[in-house]
Amino acid sequence: MKLNINDQTHEVNAPEHVPLLWVLREYLHLTGTKYGCGIAQCGACTVHIDGVAQRSCILPVAQAVGKKITTIEGIPENHPVKQAWIDVQVPQCGYCQPGQIMQAIHLLKENANPDIEAIKAGMSGNLCRCGTYPRIIKAMTKLAKEGT
Ligand code: FES
Ligand code: FES
């Protein structure tokens, strides 16, 4: 099957039911997207499918065929959200952060000026064992003020 990932076409020979996360990491070595729980409970595996944040650990790869898949590798280094994460020094161990950033980009696309409650609600499915939540809120508040 053919997959469009980060504006490149990849031919992948994988069973249709295999989760997209496994295809990204094991077949294509795009390891920026992380495995946390495998049951859509942590957000570490978040990617965009046609611009919408989705958990790749539970998405059968066949359902991503014909769609535009974007992973953390497809987000430019100078993207305002990545820059805000650097400016605020959000990450600690970093493991959850690709998923946090993909979720944040989606949230800010839906609502460019979220208040703290909207940020908390929109990011609530993305867990961080290091407890970087206050810095995530700070970075997103900064983006909301500056406009993205
Ligand atoms: S690994 Fe997909 S939500 Fe946790
Ligand atoms: S920065 Fe360590 S899990 Fe989030």
Side-chain angles (χ1 to χ4, degrees):
M1 69 186 77
K2 279 193 174 58
L3 294 175
N4 177 343
I5 305 170
N6 302 332
D7 293 323
Q8 289 189 332
T9 302
H10 295 264
E11 181 75 44
V12 180
N13 184 16
E16 293 192 351
H17 66 276
V18 170
L20 176 61
L21 176 61
W22 269 256
V23 172
L24 293 173
R25 291 184 56 84
E26 304 297 330
Y27 289 66
L28 299 172
H29 309 296
L30 288 165
T31 54
T33 308
K34 304 302 186 202
Y35 170 79
C37 64
I39 52 170
Q41 296 294 309
C42 76
C45 65
T46 303
V47 298
H48 294 173
I49 307 291
D50 287 341
V52 177
Q54 290 202 26
R55 308 307 192 218
S56 62
C57 67
I58 56 158
L59 185 73
V61 64
Q63 288 186 25
V65 172
K67 300 188 173 156
K68 186 175 158 56
I69 304 162
T70 309
T71 70
I72 190 71
E73 290 91 345
I75 306 297
E77 291 308 307
N78 64 356
H79 188 285
V81 175
K82 277 192 177 173
Q83 282 302 313
W85 251 238
I86 292 167
D87 292 346
V88 175
Q89 294 282 291
V90 171
Q92 188 163 318
C93 80
Y95 194 85
C96 71
Q97 298 298 333
Q100 304 279 5
I101 289 171
M102 297 307 282
Q103 185 70 29
I105 291 172
H106 170 73
L107 178 63
L108 289 163
K109 200 173 81 175
E110 298 283 300
N111 176 4
N113 194 16
D115 59 19
I116 288 179
E117 289 314 311
I119 293 170
K120 282 184 182 170
M123 300 300 290
S124 64
N126 287 71
L127 305 184
C128 175
R129 286 171 300 183
C130 301
T132 61
Y133 305 112
R135 295 200 295 278
I136 288 171
I137 291 170
K138 190 172 170 191
M140 292 186 71
T141 303
K142 179 169 153 33
L143 286 160
K145 277 193 193 128
E146 290 170 359
T148 48

